[in-house]
Amino acid sequence: MTANIIDGTRIAGEIRQEVGEAVAAMKAEHGYTPGLATVLVGDNPASATYVRMKQKACAEAGIRSIGHNIPADSLESEVLELVSSLNADPEVNGILVQLPLPDHIDEEAVLNTIDLEKDVDGFHPVNIGRLAMKGRDPLFIPCTPHGIIELLKRSGVQLSGAEAVIVGRSNIVGLPVAMLLQKDNATVTICHSRTRDLGGHTRRADILVAAIGRREMITGDMVKPGAAVIDVGINQKEDPTKKRGYRLVGDVDYDSVKEVAGAITPVPGGVGPMTIAMLLGNTYRAAEIALGI
Ligand code: NDP
């Protein structure tokens, strides 16, 4: 059996189109344009690229983006002041602080300062707390985990009652994905670096999410036949045939797993494109909150 490919680029495109239509309707009905402020501290090239991609996606969806680039040696107090001024700015609906921040700045302090109603990354502890609690809904769901759930749902994967195994328990991916799957009535197991007999767990999974940061670690013999496999990992693998000398691979050994799984996300073109699509959705939602609708 060869797995169906879950096409993240196509599904993200659908979501971006939907958000664009909703933004156009908001402009027509309320004369209001959603706005996203991006905060980039320093000039890390990867971070700068991510911010540019987010700004471009905003423009395509009709969302205004307001970029703030400040030097790497800015004081923590200066970053906090900037975030506070964005909290107070009625033209700004969402605030995105690009991580990682330079070492001398406490990320937690910065993220905690973002107004709950502008926390479009969904990392504010109150939003995460609400995600964890039964009967409570966060204002915003973190983008990559939310994108994973959308990929599964839009590919027709049944979540309710499914055995879901997440490998990885980070604050930004593993843990929130586990909480979301649980909210959708999956039975969830979280595995991590101290898990004994990892394969024993993964082989039981109807839904397997790999968010490990270890290149091609999940192999075909660790996967239940027919399972839906979501590969979050982004790793470099040497490839002399490429101009840059490497290609991107996931945490899943694609070639062996695709022969066993029922559905699989490729890397690139799986989870990656979903993150930005969900950020646009969260920014639109923040504008709805600002309008009280
Ligand atoms: P972290 O390093 O924060 O977390 C990795 C997790 O994997 C930890 O919980 C760790 O366990 C666990 N782990 C590490 N080694 C093993 C092992 N041998 N067996 C079992 N579990 C293990 O990574 P992130 O969650 O931030 O990212 C994971 C991957 O996803 C990375 O490749 C990253 O680049 C990618 N990523 C992709 C995104 C996208 O948009 N597509 C967005 C964000 C991340 P422990 O807790 O015990 O240390």
Side-chain angles (χ1 to χ4, degrees), residues 50 123 143-145 148 166-175 190-195 198 210-215 217-218 222 231-235 249-251 267 270-276:
Y50 286 134
F123 292 146
C143 300
T144 302
I148 291 168
I166 323 300
V167 189
R169 56 177 167 179
S170 73
N171 287 341
I172 62 167
V173 191
L175 194 69
I190 302 175
C191 300
H192 46 76
S193 66
R194 312 292 169 83
T195 297
L198 184 62
I212 317 164
R214 298 256 186 280
R215 197 168 88 184
M217 203 184 99
I218 304 293
M222 297 170 76
D231 188 355
V232 190
I234 304 174
N235 311 285
V249 298
D251 292 343
V267 177
V271 174
M274 294 299 287
T275 302
I276 290 183

Side-chain angles (χ1 to χ4, degrees), residues 131 145 149 164-166 168-170 173-191 209:
L131 195 60
I149 301 296
V165 175
I166 323 300
R169 56 177 167 179
S170 73
V173 191
L175 194 69
V177 169
M179 295 191 294
L180 284 167
L181 285 166
Q182 184 174 248
K183 267 196 193 291
D184 273 313
N185 298 317
T187 303
V188 177
T189 302
I190 302 175
C191 300
V209 179

Side-chain angles (χ1 to χ4, degrees), residues 68-191:
H68 293 269
N69 293 12
I70 60 173
D73 60 359
S74 302
L75 298 174
E76 183 177 306
S77 58
E78 290 172 317
V79 181
L80 293 175
E81 267 167 41
L82 173 58
V83 170
S84 298
S85 72
L86 297 172
N87 281 340
D89 184 343
E91 304 253 289
V92 171
N93 301 115
I95 301 172
L96 183 135
V97 177
Q98 186 64 42
L99 302 179
L101 291 171
D103 287 345
H104 67 280
I105 298 176
D106 179 0
E107 274 183 11
E108 202 61 20
V110 174
L111 297 182
N112 288 355
T113 305
I114 297 175
D115 191 307
L116 199 55
E117 298 196 339
K118 299 190 178 190
D119 174 37
V120 286
D121 252 342
F123 292 146
H124 192 291
V126 172
N127 270 326
I128 296 288
R130 287 185 184 171
L131 195 60
M133 291 164 84
K134 193 176 160 83
R136 300 277 184 94
D137 285 317
L139 289 177
F140 305 103
I141 299 170
C143 300
T144 302
H146 196 184
I148 291 168
I149 301 296
E150 280 299 312
L151 282 178
L152 289 166
K153 287 185 175 170
R154 289 180 187 235
S155 305
V157 176
Q158 169 84 21
L159 304 190
S160 182
E163 287 288 338
V165 175
I166 323 300
V167 189
R169 56 177 167 179
S170 73
N171 287 341
I172 62 167
V173 191
L175 194 69
V177 169
M179 295 191 294
L180 284 167
L181 285 166
Q182 184 174 248
K183 267 196 193 291
D184 273 313
N185 298 317
T187 303
V188 177
T189 302
I190 302 175
C191 300

